[in-house]
Amino acid sequence: MFRLRDFQVKDMDEMLDVDHECFAPGIAYSRGEMQSFVERKGSFGLIAEPTPLALEKIKPANPKLIPHRIAGFIVVEVPPKGYGHVITIDVRKAYRRYGLGSILIAAAEERVRKQDGFMMSLEVAVDNAAAIAFYKRHKYNVLRTLPRYYNHELDALLLTKRL
């Protein structure tokens, strides 16, 4: 239902739209931040495009669905230390509950594994119960709490997973 491909510069505007749909102001990234993440040495972005089959299946549940070029994406940094750090994983609301987040995280983990990575890490807001449950389903474990991580106000959980 979704086709994955690598990030291209032409994706930036729509990626920002998706990110701002998924996250509140102050947590959603600015253009400069997002651009620095995807252009950073060792980073990669995977873009999920909906196939015609996906649109056909999703449209009845979302009759006002406007077809988008990007259904979701993930950005991962792979420092030379042998682990992948998920910067962000975003799925448009219309495409949620179709397994796209699972497809994106699995593809990112596989790419990190192929680069001899042994672990994944990420941060998630302590009040984002849906995301925490998603990561736990994918075998991520809470390592510790990061006080006032978001906007110097909201705590985050640091999660890790051995690959």
Side-chain angles (χ1 to χ4, degrees):
M1 285 195 3
F2 301 98
R3 183 177 82 82
L4 295 185
R5 63 171 175 77
D6 287 328
F7 162 81
Q8 299 169 6
V9 173
K10 68 178 183 176
D11 298 323
M12 185 57 63
D13 287 339
E14 195 166 349
M15 284 175 66
L16 287 168
D17 288 344
V18 177
D19 195 57
H20 290 139
E21 179 182 321
C22 294
F23 297 101
I27 294 178
Y29 291 119
S30 69
R31 173 178 294 280
E33 289 169 324
M34 186 70 77
Q35 194 164 346
S36 75
F37 292 136
V38 295
E39 292 177 353
R40 194 175 287 172
K41 184 178 179 182
S43 292
F44 64 88
L46 295 175
I47 304 295
E49 297 177 323
T51 64
L53 176 63
L55 294 173
E56 183 180 304
K57 186 172 185 174
I58 294 168
K59 188 86 169 158
N62 299 283
K64 295 180 182 177
L65 177 71
I66 300 166
H68 299 100
R69 196 171 50 83
I70 296 175
F73 67 92
I74 189 168
V75 177
V76 178
E77 177 182 24
V78 186
K81 297 176 184 172
Y83 67 92
H85 176 236
V86 177
I87 302 294
T88 191
I89 179 170
D90 300 25
V91 175
R92 284 189 186 276
K93 289 179 179 133
Y95 300 97
R96 292 181 188 163
R97 314 298 310 161
Y98 293 96
L100 180 53
S102 296
I103 291 166
L104 287 166
I105 198 80
E109 290 170 359
E110 183 58 26
R111 182 169 290 187
V112 170
R113 237 185 248 103
K114 285 181 179 175
Q115 294 178 15
D116 295 324
F118 66 92
M119 184 175 71
M120 298 288 286
S121 70
L122 58 91
E123 299 82 23
V124 62
V126 294
D127 65 353
N128 192 340
I132 293 167
F134 169 81
Y135 292 122
K136 286 187 174 187
R137 275 195 315 276
H138 289 278
K139 310 294 187 222
Y140 283 77
N141 298 299
V142 176
L143 187 61
R144 70 177 184 265
T145 301
L146 304 172
R148 297 173 301 285
Y149 184 82
Y150 293 105
N151 292 332
H152 304 289
E153 297 172 5
L154 180 62
D155 292 353
L157 298 176
L158 174 61
L159 303 176
T160 60
K161 175 182 179 179
R162 299 238 359 130
L163 299 177

